[in-house]
Amino acid sequence: MVKEINAGNFEEEVLKSTEPVVVDMYADWCGPCKMMAPVVDELSENMAGVRFCKLNVDQAPTVAAQYRVMSIPTFLFFKNGALAGTVVGGREPEDLENEIRQALL
């Protein structure tokens, strides 16, 4: 399950998480983001031990700026509170899963 987060709970949900976290940086108006949403949902159901969150960049511009998100969708991978990898743009499901595994597992 993908949890919707915001700037107010980003630190608690992502940086203080005891498990690896994938953050889907998106916006409601973004076509490629909408195309990736079911992929992220499916991966969240199939990848045990990884937390999946999504953050609307329009509602959390400071977080987007902090991690230099210039294009969306952007996927940020966090491990032990630190940024462990970044993927920008849409991906095939198996490609995104491989990128997550390489960065986090």
Side-chain angles (χ1 to χ4, degrees):
M1 182 176 146
V2 180
K3 182 172 186 172
E4 180 110 20
I5 61 173
N6 56 52
N9 64 4
F10 182 84
E11 181 177 354
E12 189 66 34
E13 294 292 335
V14 177
L15 302 180
K16 292 184 177 178
S17 176
T18 57
E19 59 189 348
V21 183
V22 174
V23 180
D24 176 5
M25 305 291 278
Y26 80 101
D28 290 332
W29 50 262
C30 169
C33 299
K34 290 178 183 178
M35 289 174 42
M36 290 304 297
V39 171
V40 174
D41 287 341
E42 183 177 333
L43 290 175
S44 75
E45 299 293 328
N46 296 332
M47 294 187 74
V50 178
R51 176 183 289 186
F52 284 78
C53 300
K54 65 183 194 172
L55 180 75
N56 187 322
V57 297
D58 289 336
Q59 296 174 359
T62 55
V63 176
Q66 180 179 356
Y67 292 99
R68 293 182 168 86
V69 175
M70 305 298 271
S71 299
I72 51 175
T74 292
F75 303 95
L76 303 176
F77 308 145
F78 290 87
K79 190 171 189 175
N80 300 321
L83 185 63
T86 303
V87 170
V88 179
R91 295 285 192 278
E92 291 295 324
E94 55 275 358
D95 293 338
L96 183 57
E97 181 177 354
N98 287 336
E99 300 244 18
I100 293 167
R101 289 190 184 282
Q102 286 178 347
L104 299 178
L105 303 177

